[in-house]
């Protein structure tokens, strides 16, 4: 079982970015390094199903793009949301139109799927860090109690438990809807 490991050494963001990549990858928030836990079954299923569900609606109309485990560097931090969603106009591109490799911006929507050994407060810290740097929406998906904690700027977090409740999504996705029940139904294989 991989644990979320925190480094006690304080280094700068630039020094962190020069370090060799770890497996599983590490994040840098508030001057500290955290190693992400490896995704397990439920985490992998939800991540694997949520990505194409978002992209099926968002990509053809060039509204947004959902990417897995994308390193986002901003505000003296470097995070790897389980799913980072960017509005189409904010996707960094090279001069030839291809997507950039380095994303020096906060995602518009950050989705985190809590792993069994992961600290909920550390994941909340990461979502709040993103919100403080321009993220419009954050989800913390907890498979244990089948809830989704919703984070939006300048609002108290809200927890959605009710199966029929519709989860908020980015405004650019129009009338696309996903209920709590639909999300967690993906865990039955």
């Amino acid at each position: 079982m991989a644990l979320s490991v925190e480094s006690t050494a304080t280094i700068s963001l630039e020094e962190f970015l020069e370090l060799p990549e770890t497996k599983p990858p590490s994040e840098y928030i508030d001057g500290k390094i955290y190693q992400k836990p490896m995704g397990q079954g439920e985490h992998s299923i939800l991540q694997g199903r949520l990505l194409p569900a978002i992209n099926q609606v968002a990509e053809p109309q060039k509204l947004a793009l959902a990417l897995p485990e994308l390193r986002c560097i901003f505000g003296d931090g470097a995070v790897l949301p389980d799913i980072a969603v960017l509005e189409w106009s904010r996707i960094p591109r090279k001069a030839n139109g291809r997507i950039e490799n380095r994303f020096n911006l906060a995602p518009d929507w950050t989705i985190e799927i809590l792993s069994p050994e992961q600290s909920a407060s550390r994941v909340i810290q990461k979502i709040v860090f993103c919100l403080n740097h321009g993220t419009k929406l954050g989800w913390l998906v907890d498979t244990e109690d089948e809830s989704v904690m919703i984070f939006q700027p300048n609002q108290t977090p809200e927890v959605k438990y009710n199966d029929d409740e519709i989860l908020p999504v980015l405004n650019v996705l129009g009338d696309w809807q996903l209920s709590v029940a639909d999300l967690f139904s993906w865990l039955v294989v």
Side-chain angles (χ1 to χ4, degrees):
M1 173 187 326
L3 297 176
S4 180
V5 178
E6 176 182 341
S7 169
T8 55
T10 303
I11 64 171
S12 71
L13 174 60
E14 292 74 27
E15 291 169 320
F16 168 76
L17 294 172
E18 290 175 10
L19 293 174
E21 196 58 62
T22 60
K23 290 190 182 201
S26 295
E27 300 177 294
Y28 180 85
I29 303 170
D30 294 331
K32 295 180 182 167
I33 298 172
Y34 303 98
Q35 191 170 18
K36 286 189 68 154
M38 290 293 296
Q40 296 180 17
E42 291 180 333
H43 180 285
S44 294
I45 286 287
L46 288 181
Q47 185 179 33
R49 299 234 170 124
L50 196 49
L51 272 162
I54 294 168
N55 283 333
Q56 183 177 12
V57 171
E59 237 182 309
Q61 298 178 57
K62 297 184 177 182
L63 303 172
L65 183 64
L67 299 164
E69 308 290 338
L70 175 71
R71 184 173 306 283
C72 298
I73 303 163
F74 57 91
D76 201 35
V79 299
L80 289 136
D82 292 328
I83 299 174
V85 183
L86 284 107
E87 292 183 4
W88 199 262
S89 63
R90 294 188 65 238
I91 298 169
R93 292 179 178 82
K94 298 176 184 178
N96 65 3
R98 289 177 54 166
I99 194 166
E100 282 285 355
N101 281 319
R102 188 166 170 153
F103 278 56
N104 293 319
L105 73 166
D108 292 302
W109 178 10
T110 183
I111 301 172
E112 295 291 341
I113 304 161
L114 196 61
S115 296
E117 72 281 355
Q118 203 169 17
S119 163
S121 60
R122 187 157 301 136
V123 177
I124 290 169
Q125 173 192 16
K126 180 166 71 167
I127 294 170
V128 169
F129 176 80
C130 290
L131 289 173
N132 288 338
H133 291 89
T135 295
K136 299 173 184 177
L137 178 64
W139 282 9
L140 174 56
V141 179
D142 188 338
T143 59
E144 188 66 30
D145 66 0
E146 294 191 1
S147 69
V148 181
M149 185 175 284
I150 306 300
F151 296 84
Q152 294 177 328
N154 306 312
Q155 293 184 25
T156 303
E158 178 183 358
V159 180
K160 304 279 189 182
Y161 284 102
N162 185 327
D163 285 348
D164 297 328
E165 286 188 279
I166 301 300
L167 296 164
V169 299
L170 283 179
N171 290 337
V172 297
L173 297 181
D175 59 359
W176 181 64
Q177 294 185 342
L178 182 67
S179 71
V180 173
D182 291 337
L183 177 68
F184 290 107
S185 73
W186 293 335
L187 295 175
V188 179
V189 293

